[in-house]
Amino acid sequence: MDMMVVSKLHRRSQHGVVESGVKHYSYLRKHITFINLECISLKMLFRGSYLFDGVPHSVLITGAPGVGKTTLLKTFVCEWVNGKIYQRFSFVFFFRFQELNTMGKVSLETMILQLYPYLEDRLPSILKYPEKILFIFDGLEESIHQIDFISPKFCTNVSQVENMGTIVVSLVGQSLMKGCFVLMTMETSRVKRRHTTAFTQVAEIMGFSPKNKKLYFHRYFKKKAFSDQVFSYVKDIGALYNFCFIPNFCWMVCEVFSMRFTQETINPQDFSLLPKTLTQLLAGFVSKILSNRKQDKSHNRKLLASIGWMAGYGISNEIFAFDEQVLATFGIDSTSELLHQFMLETNPPPNVTFRFLHPFMPEFLAALVHYINYSPEKLYNSLEKANTYKYCCDEVFISFLCGLSNKSTRSVLRPYLGKLSSKSITRVVKYVSAWLIQQSNAEVHKLEEFRNNQRRCLTMFYYLYEARDKHLVREALGSCRRLNLSSVSLTPLDCTALAFILESCKDVEELDLGSCKFHEEYLRKFAPLLHDLKDLRLSSVMMTNDGVQFICPALINPESKIQTLWLGFNKLTDLSCIYLASAIRNNTSLRMLDLSWNDLSGPHFSDLMDVLSSPTCRIEELWLDHAGLIETSAIQLASGIRNNRSLRKLNLSRNFLNGPHFQGLMKALSSPTCRIEELELCEIDLTDEYAPLLKTLSKNISLTHLDLSNNKMSDASGRHLKELILKSRLKEIRYMGEDLCTLYMTYTCHLPHLPHVQL
């Protein structure tokens, strides 16, 4: 597994697994090029780094639930015992916070002896050499003790009796056992800045790389051809692949898929049987567990209902481990064989505790219980209480509630649990619909509120995706014609959900993703549905030439409805013109194309201009502001404009078009066939020598608006510009220069067709 050393970690608000999945994909895409990230191995945990001087004495390892934090610690100890790493440590003390929760006030000596009583005679001599000791603490988020790294209380003596939290903080802060080493783990979503600043080094377990994921599927299914089919399917389903960085989740996926196929090949029609959502996967996994047990439906319902109520209690109270007393409170027999399929027994007697084995299982069972034992009051209370859940457990819980409203999803569980309540479905559907209506009518006054509102809408889209109910999507969106998701960070899950929304609701006409942060590969998920839009905004999304290829099929589609396409402020070069030219050659819907603030100069810019000059072109507005065009680009522009009869507005501002070929461009703009009405030529370094060329624009009988502002023309150009105004049909002209302004103010008194002269 891969780990990354992170010098800064900020407070998270997402569900641990969801948040880690997003970050995992982001880190891999950027190939770990950040200056504050470093890929490390076990042997490097206590080595110096370029991020700081000296040897780190305290290391915090974070990671999503189930990603392998405890396994990493066990591997560390095993490697140490076998003499492979860190032989400078004479003793390694391993503590689980679950075990420490049973202790009250203790000293360090007492704490060690309670778990290592056989060291009683040797302990004083062991503690004399702190630099040879490593303390390992597993599961900081599970501690019930006050562990305050901001305003800590320290102890300095190994015999000093203090609260458990004080002992831990003192070891990390080196006031106790100065020179010792501390290695601690914590769930990523529970990390706060006050934790990370106390540690010399912070590492995060990122789980399986893409190569590891594929390798896991190959090892599980044995036959490469079969595993390739399964892996390819999972990779296309963002809701599943996004979490396959967790080994445990990979195993769950393979388990569910293996029970659907007895043969070693998959027919194309079989894919309809495979899970497409997280709810369907969990439902399939639970049904597989139940299918291996001989209990009747009533027994299964009773036990899962009890576990579900307990899971909900744990989520709302941030409880991760449940002792036998809690189990008894919810009527659960701790010796039940079925219980052990869902929960793992931890800690030795008499302090036995149970925790859920798999990611998302607590939230899934907490949702399922409302379909097993429906109570309108309990469901209402759960939905209300979900708003107070931390770390976005509410989003996961509600998404499962929505997912279970789908009849097909519930049918997987019916053979083992009997009929599930349909009354819950009605209540959940009403909740989702009411929330969406509330959000659509909400007044947003601040940018942060706007972004938060968009993020909540994306969350609701994911709820709808899990429900897989297209009628519900149409009902929830109502008469909505515009989806504005600009300026938010889109995850693979968001894009998967967005694809379902676009597929379900054909009434959406405008999609604004301007300034969104997402990798262009995410476009694959919803690109096939873009042809139904009229207005597509993809400005400032760091799109490259490769990204353009994803949206071209939407333009090529004979049923394309796209009228306006915004691709400004990206990273497009002239190579993108090859793809765009091919896509719009036979397109009859496109009316406006914005390619501003790209770098389009080059030989392939001609491809786009060739299409512009074709009789099939319907583009009326072309924005090439700051498009990196140079003097030779004027030749290409002239070629495209000369025979074009559709173009009405052309923006060529902030390019470098001055030179010998500028004359050819002016001739094309003045040709009898040119229909351009609005022409913007501001900030293109025009000097007085180009004024005679500009007056030729008077031959263009369509031109009504001309922008020449922020150029370098002086008073000497006045005579030529005067002639342009007198002979043309201009209604508005923009320019700069005080004397020119005075001159033109005089002329406008005699030109009723020129009502607007901007100074």
Side-chain angles (χ1 to χ4, degrees):
M1 291 184 290
D2 299 327
M3 291 196 299
M4 296 179 185
V5 176
V6 185
S7 62
K8 289 185 178 180
L9 290 178
H10 303 284
R11 182 171 184 173
R12 277 96 171 167
S13 60
Q14 288 181 295
H15 184 278
V17 180
V18 177
E19 190 271 341
S20 293
V22 174
K23 184 146 52 64
H24 178 271
Y25 193 89
S26 174
Y27 284 175
L28 291 174
R29 291 305 313 172
K30 295 180 179 179
H31 303 290
I32 319 174
T33 56
F34 299 125
I35 60 172
N36 65 336
L37 294 178
E38 179 184 1
C39 225
I40 68 171
S41 64
L42 279 178
K43 293 187 290 186
M44 299 169 64
L45 280 175
F46 290 100
R47 286 186 184 177
S49 168
Y50 71 91
L51 296 174
F52 50 83
D53 296 325
V55 176
H57 279 260
S58 56
V59 177
L60 177 65
I61 295 178
T62 68
V67 79
K69 299 183 294 296
T70 301
T71 301
L72 181 87
L73 295 183
K74 291 179 178 179
T75 302
F76 184 102
V77 174
C78 184
E79 297 279 285
W80 172 73
V81 169
N82 290 323
K84 295 181 179 180
I85 59 173
Y86 295 109
Q87 292 308 290
R88 67 173 181 263
F89 296 143
S90 298
F91 291 91
V92 173
F93 296 109
F94 195 117
F95 301 99
R96 296 182 181 87
F97 277 103
Q98 288 181 23
E99 298 170 330
L100 299 181
N101 285 342
T102 62
M103 301 182 189
K105 285 191 173 184
V106 293
S107 66
L108 178 60
E109 288 179 329
T110 306
M111 184 177 81
I112 294 173
L113 291 175
Q114 286 202 24
L115 295 176
Y116 301 93
Y118 51 84
L119 293 177
E120 183 172 4
D121 296 334
R122 299 179 57 196
L123 189 60
S125 60
I126 292 172
L127 298 181
K128 285 183 180 180
Y129 304 97
E131 69 279 1
K132 295 185 177 182
I133 299 175
L134 171 64
F135 294 95
I136 295 179
F137 295 93
D138 188 21
L140 177 58
E141 75 279 356
E142 298 181 10
S143 176
I144 63 173
H145 299 286
Q146 179 90 20
I147 299 181
D148 187 356
F149 289 105
I150 295 180
S151 304
K153 176 185 178 183
F154 291 117
C155 70
T156 58
N157 194 303
V158 296
S159 301
Q160 184 177 338
V161 177
E162 291 288 352
N163 290 320
M164 181 62 61
T166 302
I167 301 292
V168 173
V169 170
S170 299
L171 288 171
V172 172
Q174 295 284 293
S175 66
L176 180 62
M177 294 288 289
K178 182 175 177 59
C180 73
F181 294 82
V182 178
L183 180 59
M184 193 176 298
T185 67
M186 187 179 192
E187 186 180 318
T188 301
S189 62
R190 268 65 177 181
V191 174
K192 299 177 183 177
R193 185 163 179 77
R194 66 169 179 266
H195 293 132
T196 61
T197 54
F199 292 84
T200 318
Q201 184 156 271
V202 179
E204 180 161 3
I205 302 178
M206 300 311 300
F208 282 163
S209 66
K211 183 179 179 180
N212 295 145
K213 296 174 188 177
K214 191 169 186 178
L215 181 61
Y216 187 94
F217 276 74
H218 285 169
R219 288 178 175 175
Y220 185 95
F221 291 108
K222 311 299 183 187
K223 297 291 184 178
K224 186 177 183 301
F226 182 78
S227 67
D228 282 344
Q229 280 186 289
V230 175
F231 183 77
S232 178
Y233 174 85
V234 173
K235 191 173 182 179
D236 287 339
I237 305 298
L240 302 183
Y241 187 73
N242 192 62
F243 303 115
C244 281
F245 71 96
I246 301 176
N248 191 294
F249 191 88
C250 260
W251 173 78
M252 186 189 300
V253 171
C254 292
E255 283 283 292
V256 173
F257 278 53
S258 65
M259 81 180 210
R260 297 294 178 93
F261 303 105
T262 56
Q263 302 176 351
E264 294 181 348
T265 58
I266 305 177
N267 296 320
Q269 58 268 27
D270 293 335
F271 284 112
S272 61
L273 304 173
L274 297 175
K276 293 179 176 61
T277 68
L278 201 55
T279 310
Q280 291 175 349
L281 179 73
L282 270 292
F285 185 71
V286 170
S287 67
K288 178 162 187 174
I289 291 175
L290 297 176
S291 69
N292 294 328
R293 298 292 171 268
K294 302 300 181 182
Q295 286 89 354
D296 58 24
K297 295 177 184 177
S298 60
H299 178 274
N300 292 338
R301 290 175 69 95
K302 181 179 179 181
L303 180 59
L304 285 190
S306 298
I307 298 176
W309 293 125
M310 184 178 72
Y313 165 78
I315 294 169
S316 61
N317 292 281
E318 295 185 68
I319 297 175
F320 309 96
F322 306 87
D323 58 30
E324 291 183 307
Q325 183 177 353
V326 175
L327 264 66
T329 301
F330 286 92
I332 302 172
D333 181 2
S334 62
T335 64
S336 168
E337 184 179 352
L338 184 57
L339 171 68
H340 287 77
Q341 299 300 310
F342 294 97
M343 305 191 76
L344 175 69
E345 188 175 316
T346 59
N347 293 351
N351 301 314
V352 177
T353 57
F354 295 81
R355 59 182 305 149
F356 287 98
L357 276 166
H358 310 292
F360 301 118
M361 190 57 75
E363 291 87 355
F364 178 79
L365 294 178
L368 179 61
V369 68
H370 291 289
Y371 288 87
I372 296 175
N373 287 343
Y374 173 71
S375 164
E377 294 80 13
K378 289 184 177 180
L379 179 56
Y380 175 80
N381 290 336
S382 292
L383 288 170
E384 288 296 305
K385 192 181 294 184
N387 294 323
T388 67
Y389 291 170
K390 293 184 179 180
Y391 316 112
C392 287
C393 289
D394 60 322
E395 295 181 4
V396 178
F397 167 70
I398 295 174
S399 71
F400 284 137
L401 275 176
C402 294
L404 287 167
S405 70
N406 182 276
K407 183 178 180 180
S408 176
T409 303
R410 295 195 314 279
S411 67
V412 176
L413 294 164
R414 187 166 185 172
Y416 314 103
L417 295 176
K419 187 176 181 180
L420 299 175
S421 173
S422 59
K423 294 181 179 179
S424 295
I425 302 169
T426 305
R427 174 78 67 168
V428 171
V429 168
K430 286 183 178 179
Y431 173 84
V432 175
S433 299
W435 194 95
L436 269 178
I437 293 172
Q438 176 187 349
Q439 292 303 311
S440 63
N441 293 332
E443 292 187 8
V444 180
H445 303 286
K446 297 180 181 179
L447 178 61
E448 192 60 30
E449 291 178 359
F450 173 71
R451 288 175 177 169
N452 289 338
N453 188 65
Q454 290 170 308
R455 172 50 54 191
R456 287 192 292 269
C457 284
L458 284 168
T459 299
M460 196 57 63
F461 288 169
Y462 184 67
Y463 294 165
L464 295 170
Y465 169 75
E466 286 288 330
R468 305 294 293 175
D469 187 337
K470 295 184 178 182
H471 174 73
L472 176 58
V473 174
R474 291 188 288 271
E475 179 182 321
L477 293 182
S479 59
C480 177
R481 296 291 183 269
R482 182 172 187 258
L483 297 182
N484 184 357
L485 302 174
S486 59
S487 303
V488 297
S489 297
L490 295 179
T491 69
L493 284 176
D494 295 329
C495 294
T496 297
L498 178 58
F500 179 73
I501 296 298
L502 294 175
E503 179 186 8
S504 303
C505 189
K506 302 296 184 180
D507 292 334
V508 175
E509 296 179 347
E510 179 181 335
L511 176 62
D512 188 352
L513 299 179
S515 300
C516 282
K517 296 178 181 179
F518 64 96
H519 193 273
E520 56 193 16
E521 282 191 4
Y522 297 2
L523 285 170
R524 288 182 183 272
K525 299 182 183 302
F526 54 84
L529 303 159
L530 297 178
H531 67 277
D532 282 324
L533 300 170
K534 290 184 178 180
D535 190 330
L536 176 58
R537 299 176 181 242
L538 289 167
S539 302
S540 302
V541 296
M542 307 295 284
M543 184 183 292
T544 66
N545 301 328
D546 294 333
V548 168
Q549 296 183 68
F550 297 141
I551 62 174
C552 283
L555 295 167
I556 296 173
N557 192 312
E559 298 181 1
S560 176
K561 300 176 183 177
I562 298 177
Q563 296 178 7
T564 56
L565 178 60
W566 307 75
L567 298 175
F569 294 85
N570 283 304
K571 294 185 174 182
L572 305 181
T573 69
D574 70 310
L575 289 174
S576 67
C577 296
I578 301 175
Y579 310 124
L580 286 170
S582 175
I584 65 179
R585 188 174 304 279
N586 296 312
N587 181 287
T588 59
S589 64
L590 192 62
R591 296 294 183 269
M592 194 285 288
L593 177 61
D594 179 13
L595 293 171
S596 301
W597 292 82
N598 285 290
D599 189 11
L600 303 180
S601 64
H604 299 296
F605 184 63
S606 295
D607 293 47
L608 184 60
M609 292 299 100
D610 289 345
V611 172
L612 197 67
S613 64
S614 68
T616 58
C617 180
R618 297 291 185 271
I619 296 176
E620 298 176 358
E621 291 186 37
L622 181 60
W623 292 70
L624 294 171
D625 182 4
H626 205 300
L629 302 181
I630 57 178
E631 188 266 336
T632 53
S633 304
I635 304 174
Q636 300 162 314
L637 284 165
S639 173
I641 295 169
R642 189 172 293 114
N643 297 314
N644 180 282
R645 294 177 179 273
S646 64
L647 207 59
R648 296 293 181 267
K649 183 172 183 177
L650 177 62
N651 188 339
L652 296 174
S653 298
R654 284 167 282 274
N655 288 292
F656 301 96
L657 300 173
N658 54 349
H661 299 296
F662 187 73
Q663 181 177 1
L665 177 59
M666 290 299 100
K667 286 183 178 180
L669 289 167
S670 306
S671 66
T673 57
C674 183
R675 298 289 186 269
I676 293 176
E677 299 171 0
E678 297 182 37
L679 178 62
E680 298 195 25
L681 297 173
C682 68
E683 289 189 55
I684 61 172
D685 287 342
L686 294 182
T687 58
D688 292 336
E689 64 179 296
Y690 294 97
L693 299 176
L694 289 171
K695 71 180 182 180
T696 62
L697 292 174
S698 62
K699 297 178 182 179
N700 186 327
I701 60 174
S702 301
L703 192 64
T704 58
H705 295 76
L706 177 63
D707 188 347
L708 295 172
S709 59
N710 296 334
N711 280 292
K712 299 179 179 179
M713 292 182 289
S714 68
D715 297 349
S717 299
R719 178 171 57 85
H720 300 289
L721 295 179
K722 168 189 172 181
E723 188 175 340
L724 169 61
I725 294 176
L726 289 171
K727 293 183 179 181
S728 70
R729 297 190 178 184
L730 283 169
K731 295 180 179 179
E732 180 180 17
I733 184 170
R734 299 175 185 172
Y735 51 82
M736 294 188 69
E738 184 176 351
D739 290 337
L740 286 176
C741 293
T742 304
L743 176 66
Y744 284 93
M745 285 294 288
T746 302
Y747 287 134
T748 52
C749 295
H750 307 287
L751 297 175
H753 69 275
L754 187 63
H756 301 295
V757 178
Q758 182 163 321
L759 305 183

